[in-house]
Amino acid sequence: MLLPIVLITSFAVSSVFGCPDHTGSQRGQLSPLHTKRQAANPNRGQGNNNGNNSSEPEEEEEKVIDWSYDASYDWGAIKPAYATCQTGTQQSPIGLSLANGSSPVYQPTFANYDRNVTGEWTNWNYGPQFTLDVPDDDYTSLPAMQFNNMTVYLSGWHTHAPSEHTVDGDRTRAEMHLVHVDANGDPAAVLGILLDPGTTPFAFLAQLPPYIPFTYGPSPRPVIDPATGEPAKAEVVEGVQMNMALALEGVDNVNNFWTYKGSLTTPPCSEGLRWFVAQTIAYTSVEQMQALLGVSTFSARVLQEVWQHDVNSA
């Protein structure tokens, strides 16, 4: 059951969703790997570097987005901090193939996915996004995924349209990324679920609250709130509950999958993440896919060449 508690619009466009001071089609969205703790500690979200993070709280700093999907082939040239987008050896996404077979290693298992979780529901300006509440900043209390003697915790999910990964050269209409972090809240693994329209509804999508539209239009121009004449503010619904086990059930609990060493698919493209992509496609109804695409904009990074990714290898 969905329990939206309150609709807030306190994130001003000029701050958290600040429009970048550039031309082109950049949007002032947060990276989809953004978590609530990252808002307090902007050093997070740089991949699983196992570095020491200060325990002292830090003030939230303004996020300026200076990249766009229109030029994802050249993110590394924007600034030195994005150099890994060009020079990295394990960049995501990649093209996958049925010829790879199902991975014989890193079989994931899941714990506590079969209970409702509560969090924030919004749109990262490219599609729906859900961020789990983290009681007492204890990430180990969240639903867990285990593989190769490692445990990571679900921090949230978001969608891309079309899919970022391809299978034998083909893309699905959308892809959902279930982002998992380590006990410190640093991104560690991502489970990709490919979405395509079919004939019956996808139970996971059926439980969702009404979609929140993206707040930025084409180019850098924001949507104008007719009531105020000012740029529209990003909407966030707090207290939303959902059952994440329904996502796993839609892909046969990830019994068949690809896995590889990869990276964030947005700048700074940090590496050190373990990627899983379910081989079973989660099919939606036509109406569900239309609704999803209606609140999405193009968000597929150009495919990266397979290099040191060790696809389906230990």
Side-chain angles (χ1 to χ4, degrees):
M1 181 175 66
L2 301 175
L3 298 175
I5 302 301
V6 61
L7 178 65
I8 62 174
T9 58
S10 60
F11 295 104
V13 172
S14 61
S15 57
V16 177
F17 286 83
C19 180
D21 186 19
H22 297 274
T23 59
S25 62
Q26 299 95 329
R27 290 176 173 83
Q29 83 292 332
L30 291 176
S31 163
L33 293 185
H34 179 272
T35 65
K36 292 181 181 179
R37 179 174 284 190
Q38 287 171 3
N41 186 350
N43 291 324
R44 293 192 178 274
Q46 306 303 311
N48 187 20
N49 54 21
N50 295 321
N52 295 322
N53 293 305
S54 172
S55 60
E56 297 182 1
E58 300 179 23
E59 293 184 2
E60 183 172 346
E61 64 179 29
E62 183 174 331
K63 302 292 183 181
V64 177
I65 305 302
D66 51 9
W67 55 267
S68 75
Y69 281 104
D70 293 348
S72 65
Y73 55 85
D74 212 18
W75 283 343
I78 294 175
K79 60 184 179 184
Y82 298 169
T84 302
C85 299
Q86 178 68 18
T87 64
T89 63
Q90 298 170 351
Q91 288 293 287
S92 301
I94 60 174
L96 301 166
S97 175
L98 294 175
N100 296 134
S102 180
S103 176
V105 295
Y106 295 109
Q107 175 68 55
T109 58
F110 301 90
N112 295 323
Y113 260 74
D114 57 349
R115 61 178 174 83
N116 281 357
V117 293
T118 304
E120 291 182 350
W121 176 242
T122 189
N123 187 310
W124 69 289
N125 280 324
Y126 290 101
Q129 175 178 303
F130 180 74
T131 305
L132 276 69
D133 292 337
V134 186
D136 300 319
D137 279 344
D138 180 11
Y139 285 91
T140 64
S141 67
L142 300 178
M145 178 170 68
Q146 299 170 323
F147 57 91
N148 198 39
N149 297 318
M150 181 176 183
T151 302
V152 294
Y153 307 94
L154 179 68
S155 65
W157 62 267
H158 60 275
T159 61
H160 291 259
S163 67
E164 292 208 288
H165 292 90
T166 63
V167 178
D168 293 327
D170 294 328
R171 295 184 189 272
T172 56
R173 296 306 300 268
E175 180 174 344
M176 182 164 62
H177 289 168
L178 279 63
V179 180
H180 295 74
V181 299
D182 61 19
N184 295 318
D186 295 311
V190 184
L191 169 60
I193 295 178
L194 303 175
L195 303 172
D196 243 354
T199 58
T200 58
F202 181 21
F204 177 77
L205 296 185
Q207 70 175 329
L208 301 181
Y211 287 129
I212 295 172
F214 50 83
T215 58
Y216 279 74
S219 299
R221 286 180 299 200
V223 173
I224 300 299
D225 184 342
T228 64
E230 299 294 328
K233 297 177 181 179
E235 296 179 354
V236 177
V237 181
E238 292 187 333
V240 170
Q241 291 188 356
M242 62 184 64
N243 184 347
M244 296 303 304
L246 295 177
L248 302 182
E249 291 171 6
V251 290
D252 295 332
N253 294 302
V254 201
N255 286 330
N256 296 293
F257 62 96
W258 295 277
T259 186
Y260 70 91
K261 299 174 183 177
S263 73
L264 304 181
T265 65
T266 56
C269 309
S270 305
E271 299 182 336
L273 276 69
R274 167 61 55 178
W275 271 90
F276 298 86
V277 179
Q279 292 191 351
T280 300
I281 295 175
Y283 287 101
T284 74
S285 68
V286 171
E287 293 77 13
Q288 284 181 324
M289 183 57 69
Q290 289 177 317
L292 174 62
L293 296 179
V295 294
S296 303
T297 55
F298 182 84
S299 55
R301 184 189 183 189
V302 65
L303 285 178
Q304 304 298 296
E305 294 293 328
V306 176
W307 192 355
Q308 295 181 357
H309 295 80
D310 294 337
V311 178
N312 289 354
S313 298

